[in-house]
């Protein structure tokens, strides 16, 4: 890939610094990004990547330093300042209006006409053009809060393009996409850059960054440690720069399942909504992976197993006992735990402390009448936090102040305090850095080795195949094949798309 060169960089930051509560997040960062360049930003959680991106996109204000666009120093303090200079920030948190339609969100406050009838016709045509350009298939009239997370992100990209953005600042844009959607988005990024759009890409997926970026900048502990051409860099070199040392980026092998291991979790004929007749069994010490495209019913299957959604048909058994009137409370009492796909929306109370979040699911066990045994809680939380390596300066700190990797480990810790028999995990390493990802992989395989039954959903096919003893593929809510360990990603992806001819076990 040829690096694009320009006399004046599209973006130039000098001496950028940012601190929170006296703790530096960015330290004197200097960086130039050329017009039409895809520039990757990588680093561990807490390295300052997203903070730098948000400063450029106007979501937060730098404490020190300057920003220049096309050689002219500018003042960026709000998103509208960045938008006025052609910069559009697409963050992990999202910035859509949930109760409005796709069309309303794409053209919010930027309608072509005031009259609603004329406005609708003109902007629908423009949206159709953008959908054709991007390959996105979202319904213009669908409310955003009824869309899956991946489709919501597509709406944000469409809105940025509708604004005529010259710079796209993208924070983990592929984290919630299927393999097919990822490939489409990476292709779109290449086309936009070729047409002159500058793209700043923050991602934990190093192979994707290497595949699409012209140059890559590595941040560590808030400081810029390296910028260089992607074509001259390997994943191992990036990891070494990110963490300051060489680490093993290979997946751990799960321990063999003993031949006499009993079936711990069994489901028969689960049906509701997208899910249409799912059967599965998981033995003690076994990791069952569930693969499929977005909309295949992966997450919905986990929710039915846990009782978060009530099945219209079918039964769930734990250790041979049927869960009647299946609810999350009953599932928890039977020894089940669910790590959901969105830790911020479904798993953690972001404004509460680390200790409170970790203790939440097992709170009744330490309640004495209307009171909580605080010393017992501190001891329990401290022990599990150490075992999963949650790195927090103070357990009393709000969990929103932790990096994504430490938040994810806290979510695991919350359930492990209950010593579950069955662990259901949805996207176990979404939005975490490479070091935390390795820790979580070892945590999952270690729990299985100790006899826990694990069901894992992941959009990363390689992760799923590496961690699982078996992989069940869903398509349109139905099981279409089960594949043993050692199956190639191409076979599983073909099954998910409906192109499989062989390789699945009955």
């Amino acid at each position: 890939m040829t690096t694009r060169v320009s006399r004046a960089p599209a973006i130039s930051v000098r001496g950028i610094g940012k601190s929170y509560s006296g703790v530096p997040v960015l330290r004197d960062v200097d960086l130039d990004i050329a017009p039409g360049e895809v520039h990757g930003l990588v680093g561990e959680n807490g390295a300052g990547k997203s903070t730098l991106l948000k400063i450029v996109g106007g979501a937060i204000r730098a404490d020190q330093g300057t920003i220049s666009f096309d050689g002219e120093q500018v003042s960026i303090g709000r998103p509208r300042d960045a938008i006025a200079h052609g910069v559009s920030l697409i963050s992990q948190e999202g910035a859509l209006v949930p109760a409005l339609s796709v069309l309303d969100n794409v053209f919010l406050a930027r309608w072509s006409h005031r009259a609603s009838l004329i406005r609708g016709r003109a902007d629908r045509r423009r949206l159709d053009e953008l959908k054709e350009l991007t390959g996105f298939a979202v319904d213009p009239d669908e409310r955003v809060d009824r869309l899956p997370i991946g489709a919501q992100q597509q709406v944000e990209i469409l809105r940025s393009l509708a604004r005529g953005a010259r710079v796209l600042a993208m924070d983990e844009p592929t984290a919630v996409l299927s393999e097919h959607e990822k490939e489409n988005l990476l292709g779109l990024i290449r086309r936009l850059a070729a047409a002159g759009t500058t793209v700043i890409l923050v991602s934990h997926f190093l192979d994707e960054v290497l595949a699409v970026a012209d140059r890559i900048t590595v941040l560590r502990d808030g400081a810029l440690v390296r910028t260089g051409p992607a074509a001259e860099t390997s994943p191992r070199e990036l990891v070494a720069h990110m963490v300051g040392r060489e680490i093993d980026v290979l997946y751990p092998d799960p321990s063999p399942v003993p031949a006499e291991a009993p079936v711990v979790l069994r489901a028969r004929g689960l049906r509701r909504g997208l899910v249409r007749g799912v059967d599965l069994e998981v033995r003690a010490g076994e990791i069952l992976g569930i693969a499929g495209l977005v909309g295949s019913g992966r997450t919905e299957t986990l929710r039915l197993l846990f009782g978060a959604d009530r099945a219209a048909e079918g039964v769930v058994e734990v250790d041979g006992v049927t869960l009647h009137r299946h609810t999350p409370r009953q599932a928890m009492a039977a020894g089940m735990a669910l790590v959901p796909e969105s830790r911020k929306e479904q798993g953690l109370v972001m404004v509460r402390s680390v200790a409170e979040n970790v203790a939440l699911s097992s709170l009744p066990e330490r309640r004495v009448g209307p009171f909580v045994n605080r010393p017992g809680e501190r001891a329990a939380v401290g022990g599990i936090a150490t075992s999963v390596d949650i790195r927090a300066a103070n357990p009393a700190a709000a969990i929103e102040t932790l990096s994504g990797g430490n938040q994810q480990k806290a979510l695991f810790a919350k359930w492990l305090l209950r010593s579950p028999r069955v662990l259901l995990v949805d996207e176990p390493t979404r939005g975490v850095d490479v070091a935390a990802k390795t820790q979580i992989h070892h945590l999952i395989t270690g729990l299985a080795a100790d006899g826990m039954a694990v069901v894992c959903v992941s959009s990363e096919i390689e992760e799923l195949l590496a961690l699982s003893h078996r992989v069940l593929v869903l398509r349109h809510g139905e099981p279409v094949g089960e594949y043993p360990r050692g199956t190639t990603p191409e076979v599983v992806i073909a099954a998910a798309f409906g192109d499989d001819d062989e390789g699945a076990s009955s």
Side-chain angles (χ1 to χ4, degrees):
M1 187 177 296
T2 302
T3 302
R4 301 169 182 88
V5 179
S6 175
R7 292 181 181 176
I11 300 172
S12 179
V13 300
R14 290 289 178 270
I16 291 292
K18 181 67 179 177
S19 298
Y20 290 104
S21 301
V23 178
V25 178
L26 288 174
R27 309 166 187 260
D28 199 28
V29 173
D30 294 341
L31 179 64
D32 292 332
I33 301 174
E37 177 182 35
V38 180
H39 198 103
L41 283 180
V42 301
E44 292 189 271
N45 280 117
K49 314 179 299 293
S50 295
T51 301
L52 181 57
L53 203 68
K54 289 177 179 178
I55 288 172
V56 173
I60 59 178
R61 186 186 291 271
D63 296 335
Q64 62 188 53
T66 63
I67 302 175
S68 298
F69 290 146
D70 295 327
E72 179 182 353
Q73 186 172 318
V74 297
S75 176
I76 303 291
R78 300 172 298 175
R80 68 171 59 182
D81 298 332
I83 292 170
H85 291 285
V87 180
S88 185
L89 174 65
I90 301 174
S91 66
Q92 294 184 64
E93 293 80 10
L96 301 174
V97 182
L100 295 182
S101 70
V102 169
L103 184 69
D104 288 336
N105 271 278
V106 169
F107 295 103
L108 190 64
R110 289 176 175 267
W111 298 105
S112 55
H113 295 276
R114 290 186 179 274
S116 60
L117 181 60
I118 300 175
R119 179 184 73 187
R121 290 173 179 171
D123 291 311
R124 280 178 187 274
R125 285 195 297 271
R126 175 60 177 150
L127 181 57
D128 286 341
E129 294 172 358
L130 293 174
K131 287 169 60 179
E132 184 176 354
L133 169 68
T134 59
F136 298 157
V138 289
D139 180 354
D141 298 312
E142 184 67 86
R143 274 179 44 147
V144 161
D145 58 2
R146 294 173 182 163
L147 296 174
I149 296 175
Q152 291 183 23
Q153 190 173 64
Q154 293 178 355
V155 176
E156 290 214 61
I157 294 171
L158 289 169
R159 182 172 63 183
S160 298
L161 297 177
R163 289 172 172 170
R166 295 189 301 129
V167 177
L168 289 182
M170 309 179 81
D171 196 356
E172 300 290 351
T174 66
V176 294
L177 303 182
S178 69
E179 291 296 321
H180 179 63
E181 290 171 327
K182 288 178 185 179
E183 286 301 318
N184 285 344
L185 179 58
L186 295 178
L188 173 63
I189 289 173
R190 294 186 188 99
R191 295 196 303 274
L192 291 173
T197 300
T198 302
V199 180
I200 311 173
L201 177 65
V202 167
S203 177
H204 290 303
F205 300 103
L206 302 185
D207 56 338
E208 295 176 5
V209 178
L210 287 167
V212 76
D214 295 298
R215 292 187 299 151
I216 301 175
T217 289
V218 180
L219 296 177
R220 184 172 72 238
D221 297 328
L224 193 154
V225 297
R226 178 188 185 275
T227 294
E232 300 174 8
T233 310
S234 70
R236 186 171 292 276
E237 288 174 323
L238 286 179
V239 171
H241 286 296
M242 287 164 58
V243 302
R245 65 190 189 281
E246 289 273 346
I247 69 169
D248 184 4
V249 296
L250 300 177
Y251 294 100
D253 289 326
S255 299
V257 181
E260 68 279 8
V263 173
V264 178
L265 175 67
R266 177 181 286 113
R268 290 286 179 266
L270 288 184
R271 292 179 179 273
R272 173 178 170 150
L274 288 174
V275 181
R276 299 185 291 179
V278 170
D279 300 337
L280 57 83
E281 290 184 354
V282 191
R283 294 189 292 161
E286 185 177 28
I287 302 174
L288 173 67
I290 298 183
L293 305 178
V294 172
S296 64
R298 301 170 306 175
T299 292
E300 291 79 4
T301 295
L302 291 194
R303 290 179 60 84
L304 291 178
L305 289 171
F306 191 65
D309 294 327
R310 181 72 62 85
E313 297 179 28
V315 296
V316 176
E317 298 176 1
V318 177
D319 288 325
V321 178
T322 300
L323 304 184
H324 298 287
R325 293 192 304 170
H326 191 19
T327 64
R329 178 172 294 183
Q330 187 185 35
M332 291 166 63
M336 297 179 70
L338 171 62
V339 175
E341 65 173 331
S342 174
R343 56 181 173 266
K344 294 184 178 181
E345 296 180 1
Q346 302 166 331
L348 300 172
V349 184
M350 301 306 293
V351 296
R352 307 302 295 183
S353 72
V354 176
E356 288 172 313
N357 272 278
V358 172
L360 190 59
S361 69
S362 54
L363 187 61
E365 299 174 12
R366 286 177 296 280
R367 183 177 294 159
V368 182
F371 304 103
V372 175
N373 178 0
R374 293 299 183 189
E377 179 179 282
R378 284 193 293 271
V381 169
I384 195 68
T386 299
S387 69
V388 302
D389 193 27
I390 300 173
R391 300 181 183 181
N394 187 345
I399 203 163
E400 64 184 355
T401 64
L402 269 60
S403 67
N406 283 303
Q407 289 177 6
Q408 191 73 354
K409 287 185 283 186
L411 186 53
F412 274 88
K414 180 181 84 170
W415 289 110
L416 296 183
L417 266 185
R418 296 184 59 88
S419 300
R421 292 275 291 143
V422 179
L423 180 64
L424 311 174
V425 190
D426 197 352
E427 303 292 357
T429 60
R430 173 173 291 168
V432 308
D433 63 64
V434 65
K437 181 177 290 191
T438 299
Q439 288 180 303
I440 291 171
H441 290 158
H442 282 279
L443 174 62
I444 292 172
T445 55
L447 293 171
D450 290 337
M452 195 176 294
V454 180
V455 182
C456 182
V457 165
S458 176
S459 297
E460 295 186 56
I461 298 298
E462 290 187 359
E463 174 180 71
L464 203 62
L465 290 170
L467 295 179
S468 305
H469 294 93
R470 294 179 291 127
V471 173
L472 179 69
V473 178
L474 301 183
R475 187 169 67 240
H476 302 310
E478 298 180 7
V480 294
E482 184 178 291
Y483 296 85
R485 184 168 178 78
T487 303
T488 64
E490 291 77 14
V491 170
V492 173
I493 292 171
F497 275 98
D499 298 327
D500 55 321
D501 296 320
E502 58 183 5
S505 61
S506 58

